[in-house]
Amino acid sequence: MSRLIDLTAPLGHPDLCEVPTFPPVEYWQFHEHPTHGRQNSAVRMAIHQGTHLDAPSHFFPDGANIDEMPLETFCGRAVKIDLRETVQEAGPITREMIEASPGFEASRLDGAIAVTWTGWAKEKLFTPDYFATNPYLDTEACHFLCDCGMKALCMDHAIDPGMTADFVAHHGDSPGHRAVLGRGVPLIEHVINLETFEETEFEMFAFPMKLYRIEGAPARVVARLD
């Protein structure tokens, strides 16, 4: 019998670290049980908060939007790349670190979802420090993973160097995003619970909400283990 592991951080959790300078996640009820005999809620948020997907149009105006990408992109075989022993706070994840990770074989990534596993989300996602001093992928590592044939990149960390409250978006920033999305490969960002199972190869489902002509979407990301 297979097991399902939820890899998704709960949106709206009071301790979930949100992206600095982005609109926060806000919920409110416009119908409530005592008055209306039901509950109906609304949400206002940046779609890049919490566990979510990025499509190429996030950084490239001619890139595919999230609703234009094939469903096969968001599910299938996934391979964990265990970087926990070499990763450093605020430090780059390099190609050499990936190639030296336990059991790494570049051929296993061909047609798979690559999962860079640092342990950072386990330690920091529910603290204010998650985006401040996170480990990140350098551009050579990003291109190396794309060259290995991955169809999506999943991470338990931010792809780019730490973001502070005074961050101002500008052309040329976010080199990791630009490297991977520029190759047409979507990102599955800020997953949790990778430490709860030993398997390094498993089945992943990361279906985003089907938002019309938008550059990304929240997703419920799940691992299925046989």
Side-chain angles (χ1 to χ4, degrees), residues 101-116:
S101 63
F104 179 78
E105 295 178 21
S107 61
R108 293 174 66 200
L109 297 184
D110 189 26
I113 299 170
V115 184
T116 52

Side-chain angles (χ1 to χ4, degrees), residues 34-92:
T35 303
H36 307 100
R38 75 207 67 196
Q39 178 172 300
N40 281 315
S41 303
V43 61
R44 178 169 49 230
M45 60 177 289
I47 61 174
H48 300 277
Q49 299 284 26
T51 307
H52 69 280
L53 271 72
D54 290 349
S57 62
H58 185 27
F59 277 83
F60 297 92
D62 58 348
N65 291 309
I66 201 69
D67 59 325
E68 298 170 323
M69 303 196 75
L71 289 175
E72 292 78 11
T73 308
F74 309 123
C75 63
R77 187 171 57 87
V79 178
K80 277 197 291 193
I81 303 169
D82 187 353
L83 299 159
R84 293 174 298 166
E85 292 300 316
T86 56
V87 74
Q88 295 184 3
E89 185 172 325

